[in-house]
Amino acid sequence: MKILKERIQKDGVALTDRILKVDSFINHQIDPQLMYEIGEEFAEYFKKYNITKVLTIEASGISMAVMTGLHLKVPVVFAKKHEALNLDKDLYLSKVFSFTKNKEYLIKVSKHYIDATDNVLIIDDFLANGKAAIGLADIVKQAEAKVCGIGIVIEKDFQDGGKILREQGFDVKSLAIIESLCDGNVSFK
Ligand code: 5GP
């Protein structure tokens, strides 16, 4: 996606040779117009699957997932990472190891929001080792629903997530694929 790659080149910061910071338009401040266009791109690609629900993980996946849901005209569910007193008790749970936080956490989705009739599209901001997407796919499996595809805004090709998910047969669509982040330079595949 040309405008996304241009934006990454302009405003993305390679913090290390493995982590890209995109706080100025995705992860802290959000560019709504860019999110709208990202949602449109995902909707166009995944419309062939008769998607009934978009699933993401809080917090950074929400903005692009909502825009995808808007274009597909379906509800958006986000897995919660944090404990909350008002969370339903009847939950699907899955463990996810966070690449950026270097710790494991439990993701939770209420059983009210995904069921066996759903065709689910998983959306996330980054794909590194694939743990977040695999945790979300596990929740869809527990619901006996179907994962129709996985939409990723930025995939890092030098980490294994993309390979693992594609080998498992998932239709993974990444809008920008980064080949390397060497010496502060972002190179696309
Ligand atoms: P994975 O689960 O694929 O290992 O990592 C994906 C998750 O980690 C995403 O949900 C994202 O929040 C975070 N993440 C992974 N790599 C990066 C990165 O280079 N930059 C940022 N900002 N987040 C990342």
Side-chain angles (χ1 to χ4, degrees), residues 67-80:
M67 291 302 175
T68 306
L70 180 74
H71 286 286
L72 288 171
K73 299 187 172 59
V74 299
V76 178
V77 180
F78 63 94
K80 302 228 184 191

Side-chain angles (χ1 to χ4, degrees), residues 18-23 27 57 60 81 96-100 105 124-133 156 159 161 181:
R18 302 182 84 70
I19 298 193
L20 179 68
K21 184 169 169 161
V22 288
D23 275 14
N27 288 143
I57 192 163
S60 300
K81 288 178 181 165
V96 170
F97 185 82
S98 167
F99 167 70
T100 45
Y105 56 93
D124 205 4
D125 57 345
F126 274 89
L127 178 57
N129 297 314
K131 305 292 186 196
K156 292 180 291 179
Q159 291 175 288
L181 292 172

Side-chain angles (χ1 to χ4, degrees), residues 100-111:
T100 45
K101 298 193 178 71
N102 199 26
K103 66 169 193 187
E104 191 175 74
Y105 56 93
L106 200 59
I107 59 170
K108 311 157 193 78
V109 172
S110 165
K111 291 188 179 175

